[in-house]
Amino acid sequence: MLRICLVFVLLLPTLTHAAERLAGRVDVIDADTWDVGGVRVRLHGIDAPELDQTCQDSDGSSWPCGAWATHRVRQKYQGQTASCVPLDRDRYGRIIAQCKVERVDVAAQIVGQGLAFAYRKYSDVYVRAEKGAKVRNRGLHQTQVQVPWVHRAEGKTKSSEGCRIKGNVSSKGEKAFHVPGQTYYAKTRISAAKGERWFCSTAEARAAGWRAARR
């Protein structure tokens, strides 16, 4: 009897671990957030552009890179069966997990294809995959892109300070500011590295040398 109890105790961690796994059909919400068997999952260790995020080509034109990354991930994984190991739960109630499709780590594939970045704040597991994608100029690494965590932080700062006028620098070095409601306001992203900035008033923008955008 003692031997049987001992065997059960030894097996208990394995059984518990197995019970924590989840598996099911993949429904892609965005590039790093999926529903797996109806359970909302945030892929561990990676961060993809927000759905409304835009990037800039070499000629300065903007394009919807967040929607593009989601589309590419959806093309590859939608309807597939994933097996996930939950690691934590975030503040939105989503399960943070490492997931595999056909025994391959999907986060490593997504980062390796240049569709997301290694989320170094939480893990360095995918740093090597990101470096490989950057060297090979894959996906988002072909364009001017703001990493998602900076994009989100910038949005929060803008909102909290009430400074919503965007001072943009074109590929020709021309400075123009965009105000909410203009045609290209939503698509305009601010890059401090290019000398772009936020303004709290049109007077402040003009005084700094920016002109009003035509549209």
Side-chain angles (χ1 to χ4, degrees):
M1 186 68 174
L2 180 60
R3 182 176 298 175
I4 293 174
C5 290
L6 181 59
V7 170
F8 179 78
V9 169
L10 291 172
L11 285 175
L12 185 58
T14 302
L15 294 172
T16 302
H17 181 71
E20 288 178 347
R21 289 180 177 271
L22 62 96
R25 182 185 187 276
V26 171
D27 287 299
V28 175
I29 306 304
D30 60 35
D32 57 27
T33 305
W34 298 0
D35 278 352
V36 177
V39 177
R40 187 59 52 89
V41 170
R42 176 69 161 80
L43 298 177
H44 169 70
I46 71 172
D47 201 8
E50 299 296 312
L51 272 172
D52 65 346
Q53 193 169 337
T54 60
C55 298
Q56 287 188 323
D57 284 328
S58 56
D59 63 359
S61 60
S62 297
W63 62 285
C65 57
W68 172 81
T70 295
H71 176 69
R72 290 292 303 274
V73 171
R74 186 172 285 132
Q75 278 186 316
K76 184 171 181 62
Y77 297 108
Q78 182 74 17
Q80 299 279 352
T81 298
S83 174
C84 304
V85 178
L87 302 174
D88 202 350
R89 190 180 290 271
D90 67 13
R91 59 177 174 163
Y92 304 109
R94 301 174 300 186
I95 291 175
I96 299 173
Q98 288 182 318
C99 297
K100 293 183 178 182
V101 170
E102 296 181 352
R103 300 183 180 181
V104 177
D105 186 334
V106 295
Q109 283 193 328
I110 291 170
V111 172
Q113 292 168 6
L115 304 176
F117 301 91
Y119 207 172
R120 290 168 172 80
K121 180 179 178 180
Y122 298 103
S123 175
D124 60 2
V125 173
Y126 303 110
V127 170
R128 185 174 180 179
E130 181 186 295
K131 288 180 178 178
K134 191 171 184 178
V135 167
R136 294 172 178 81
N137 207 31
R138 289 178 175 171
L140 297 167
H141 300 287
Q142 299 178 46
T143 187
Q144 295 180 47
V145 56
Q146 189 175 52
V147 289
W149 52 90
V150 172
H151 172 75
R152 291 191 296 268
E154 193 174 79
K156 290 177 182 177
T157 300
K158 172 198 70 175
S159 177
S160 64
E161 294 181 351
C163 300
R164 304 183 63 200
I165 297 172
K166 300 177 178 181
N168 177 253
V169 179
S170 73
S171 58
K172 296 180 180 179
E174 298 174 345
K175 297 179 179 180
F177 64 84
H178 300 256
V179 300
Q182 286 190 293
T183 303
Y184 296 109
Y185 180 83
K187 292 182 178 180
T188 300
R189 292 291 176 266
I190 302 302
S191 170
K194 292 173 57 182
E196 297 174 334
R197 53 182 289 196
W198 293 95
F199 294 104
C200 297
S201 68
T202 57
E204 180 189 1
R206 288 192 173 95
W210 266 258
R211 65 167 177 78
R214 295 183 179 85
R215 290 188 292 173

